[in-house]
Amino acid sequence: MTTEPELVETAAALLVGAELLSGKVRDANLHELAGTLRRLGVELTRVVMITDDQDSLAAEIDALRHRHGVVFTSGGVGPTHDDVTIQAAAQAFGVPIEHSEEVEALMRRVYGDVLTAEHLRMARVPRGARLVYGSTSPWPAVTLGNVWLLPGVPEVFRAKLEIVRERIRGPGRFFSRNVYCRSDEAVLCQSLETVVAEFPAVSVGSYPKWGESSYRTHVTFDGRVAEEVDRSRDRFVALLPTDEVVRSD
Amino acid sequence: MTTEPELVETAAALLVGAELLSGKVRDANLHELAGTLRRLGVELTRVVMITDDQDSLAAEIDALRHRHGVVFTSGGVGPTHDDVTIQAAAQAFGVPIEHSEEVEALMRRVYGDVLTAEHLRMARVPRGARLVYGSTSPWPAVTLGNVWLLPGVPEVFRAKLEIVRERIRGPGRFFSRNVYCRSDEAVLCQSLETVVAEFPAVSVGSYPKWGESSYRTHVTFDGRVAEEVDRSRDRFVALLPTDEVVRSD
């Protein structure tokens, strides 16, 4: 299928799993997703992490899908008792779960004779779900409305992000500039406030850095208009004493 | 101050920062917090990540504080324009921001003569805030009701967790057991369901592992009663063919 990527402005992520909340497993997917969306020009505005409970997940999916252009869930799509994200999505959309002939055909091609009834649990999808294919893998991603139901296993999650990259786009790219300062944040407050007031379309961030000998504060300038971002960065640098800036880009 | 640690059952975390949502910075605090709470026997049930917007943060803090025993925020407590978590907490509790003589005295001791008006912005706390001290650092954590307002810088966040460890405790510890299986999840479904049905007080998790040659599925058993957890693990192992279990603990 070659269709135009879908235009979305904002995204939310729902990370699913008791293993994340218990600290047993360190989430590896959010950072990948955040970077992918950023490069697509899509604004990730909310991330929620909860456990594998169907009713809670359904309520969360329903809340997120109405307030964001696209929602990505991570985890809970396997065949075992604690995989309830597919059912939760169906519940959120008020549709039943159906057997997908398309998924079964894919699985039969991969598993062949060793395919069991339990494998086929993974062929259950919410009614109305779409299988979205990318150019690099035979395995599609499952979407329902504006919700992408992605797996939690990091290697597989990353493979699905290839499909996201081909099928989603933002209204324009983001531009980022950086200034690394010798002083701590308190010294920079007033210059920062001047720039924030003068460049309302630029998002200015200030981050103290510990354990770094060359600079103490990293100041960031982000926006969708490159010239504005550049001008805000230049204005900030001009407000500082010359020996303050360690480097900028 | 030597007071008894406070008993709490559930916790939520609010991770604050545009830099996390943009993928520029990978969050380093949640996993530390989750592990700390787990060891204290406190159940972390919800994590939310949003950007540095005061009204959004205030609404989030207000929602979380009513539904969880304790809430930990991470980030947005510095002196610059994008640090609005303290104001958001005050807004959530409907109290004004005040100057803290206690924080100022601490800062004067550390910064001495180089203390500026901008440094003193960090002496602003919501009315009714408490400064909670640990045994290892002169710097307290700021709390407001059941909300801990922790810094986002990972090194400082970890230092504050020392205070959390001394001042918070759960209703009892968690016990965890593990079984590493040769087969993929689908083969284990029915045995898992048997154990889940027989041990309602034990939380059973099943996690496919990629890129690991010795096992394909990691099964976990968690609960607050050690004997129950042990029995559920033993029952699961007994249900499997003998060559299925790679190892267990």
Side-chain angles (χ1 to χ4, degrees), chain B residues 30-77:
Chain B
L30 173 61
H31 187 65
E32 297 286 332
L33 176 65
T36 296
L37 292 173
R38 179 78 181 177
R39 288 184 288 275
L40 292 173
V42 176
E43 194 177 354
L44 177 63
T45 57
R46 185 179 184 79
V47 179
V48 176
M49 182 187 286
I50 57 173
T51 195
D52 323 79
D53 174 73
Q54 185 175 328
D55 288 343
S56 308
L57 287 169
E60 205 63 60
I61 290 170
D62 202 42
L64 294 175
R65 74 186 179 101
H66 286 111
R67 290 173 205 157
H68 302 83
V70 62
V71 178
F72 299 93
T73 70
S74 163
V77 300

Side-chain angles (χ1 to χ4, degrees), chain A residues 214-228:
Chain A
S214 70
Y215 68 92
R216 294 180 72 179
T217 307
H218 175 198
V219 181
T220 61
F221 305 83
D222 291 277
R224 291 199 187 265
V225 182
E227 305 80 62
E228 281 288 289

Side-chain angles (χ1 to χ4, degrees), chain B:
Chain B
M1 274 197 293
T2 54
T3 44
E4 278 294 295
E6 191 189 351
L7 174 66
V8 295
E9 298 207 2
T10 63
L14 178 59
L15 310 177
V16 182
E19 74 279 20
L20 303 173
L21 292 161
S22 68
K24 289 186 183 183
V25 172
R26 184 192 293 263
D27 164 68
N29 294 342
L30 173 61
H31 187 65
E32 297 286 332
L33 176 65
T36 296
L37 292 173
R38 179 78 181 177
R39 288 184 288 275
L40 292 173
V42 176
E43 194 177 354
L44 177 63
T45 57
R46 185 179 184 79
V47 179
V48 176
M49 182 187 286
I50 57 173
T51 195
D52 323 79
D53 174 73
Q54 185 175 328
D55 288 343
S56 308
L57 287 169
E60 205 63 60
I61 290 170
D62 202 42
L64 294 175
R65 74 186 179 101
H66 286 111
R67 290 173 205 157
H68 302 83
V70 62
V71 178
F72 299 93
T73 70
S74 163
V77 300
T80 62
H81 66 283
D82 60 343
D83 292 307
V84 296
T85 307
I86 298 289
Q87 294 93 312
Q91 185 177 329
F93 280 78
V95 297
I97 294 284
E98 290 180 340
H99 179 79
S100 164
E101 298 291 339
E102 191 176 343
V103 175
E104 179 174 346
L106 278 167
M107 296 184 80
R108 289 206 179 279
R109 227 175 298 159
V110 173
Y111 289 98
D113 285 349
V114 302
L115 192 74
T116 65
E118 284 72 26
H119 284 117
L120 285 177
R121 292 184 188 198
M122 284 186 284
R124 295 178 307 187
V125 299
R127 179 180 292 171
R130 285 195 319 136
L131 303 182
V132 180
Y133 293 83
S135 58
T136 56
S137 160
W139 293 100
V142 177
T143 66
L144 181 62
N146 63 339
V147 181
W148 290 61
L149 300 161
L150 303 182
V153 176
E155 293 84 349
V156 195
F157 187 87
R158 280 200 295 275
K160 302 298 184 197
L161 289 184
E162 300 272 348
I163 307 176
V164 172
R165 272 191 278 275
E166 296 176 10
R167 302 300 295 264
I168 296 272
R169 67 182 175 90
R173 58 167 289 204
F174 290 104
F175 298 90
S176 296
R177 299 294 179 262
N178 304 280
V179 177
Y180 300 85
C181 298
R182 214 173 294 280
S183 295
D184 68 31
E185 281 192 297
V187 174
L188 308 171
C189 282
Q190 302 205 339
S191 305
L192 285 166
E193 278 163 26
T194 299
V195 175
V196 167
E198 291 179 6
F199 296 88
V202 177
S203 172
V204 183
S206 167
Y207 307 103
K209 183 73 180 178
W210 285 48
E212 166 65 52
S213 56
S214 70
Y215 68 92
R216 294 180 73 179
T217 307
H218 175 198
V219 181
T220 61
F221 305 84
D222 291 276
R224 292 198 188 265
V225 182
E227 304 81 62
E228 280 288 290
V229 176
D230 282 345
R231 284 180 51 223
S232 68
R233 186 254 338 256
D234 295 345
R235 174 73 169 128
F236 179 65
V237 169
L239 287 165
L240 301 176
T242 44
D243 63 345
E244 178 60 66
V245 177
V246 173
R247 67 177 190 277
S248 69
D249 58 47

